Amino acid sequence: MRKTFAIIGLGRFGGSVCRTLIESDQEVLAIDNDEDRVNEYMNIATHAVVANAQDEITLRSLGLRNFDHVIIAIGEDIQASILVTLMAKEMGVPRITAKAQNEYHARVLEKIGADVVVHPERDMGIRLAHKLTSKNILDF
Ligand code: ATP
């Protein structure tokens, strides 16, 4: 079934989530405050907009609360990541996935209501180690 996603932050992580969702025929609104990044996704995402996600009025005018799933893929600016996650939660977004930069960041994101917290480098390291030690190494 086709779902609607909003991705905030088009770095390596947010960008690859965006491309993969589009390949899976999902509807994706891509948001970033960097115009060059947004231009890169103009012909990839269903819609792409330049916006500062820390601005609540902007988030409301983009209709964030109407999306099935919001992915907050801001990494370095931990304050922005926390604030945007909190606002998305308060707006009643049904499902929120947020990217964490470190363990403390992850704990805060969980506490304020992110449904899924990902920590790509750590998660990938764990997956790789499991794969390397699994019986079926032909898989790798
Ligand atoms: P990655 O590892 O996925 O490349 P990163 O951890 O380096 O990302 P950042 O580069 O800090 O994370 O952020 C990812 C994207 O989020 C960037 O393209 C940045 O422009 C965007 N971004 C950061 N703050 C905001 C904001 N307030 N509103 C919208 N986009 C933002």
Side-chain angles (χ1 to χ4, degrees), residues 87-104:
M87 290 192 296
K89 189 74 191 173
E90 285 177 353
M91 281 174 201
V93 171
R95 195 142 178 90
I96 300 171
T97 292
K99 178 184 128 154
Q101 188 80 353
N102 57 51
E103 292 302 325
Y104 299 113

Side-chain angles (χ1 to χ4, degrees), residues 35 54-55 99 115 125:
E35 199 176 342
Q54 287 196 77
D55 181 13
K99 178 184 128 154
D115 300 286

Side-chain angles (χ1 to χ4, degrees), residues 8-14 31-34 37 51-54 73-77 80 99 101 121:
I8 301 172
L10 300 168
R12 288 163 300 175
F13 175 72
I31 303 166
D32 203 293
N33 59 2
D34 180 319
R37 286 264 160 97
N52 177 8
Q54 287 196 77
I74 298 172
E76 271 170 44
D77 190 345
K99 178 184 128 154
Q101 188 80 353
E121 289 85 0

Side-chain angles (χ1 to χ4, degrees), residues 8 53 56 59-60 63-72 80-98 108-117:
I8 301 172
E56 190 163 6
L59 288 188
R60 287 193 186 279
L64 204 73
R65 69 186 181 87
N66 300 319
F67 284 82
D68 296 317
H69 200 143
V70 172
I71 295 143
I72 295 139
S81 151
I82 292 169
L83 182 62
V84 176
T85 303
L86 187 64
M87 290 192 296
K89 189 74 191 173
E90 285 177 353
M91 281 174 201
V93 171
R95 195 142 178 90
I96 300 171
T97 292
V108 174
L109 292 171
E110 276 161 15
K111 200 86 179 170
I112 61 177
D115 300 286
V116 178
V117 175

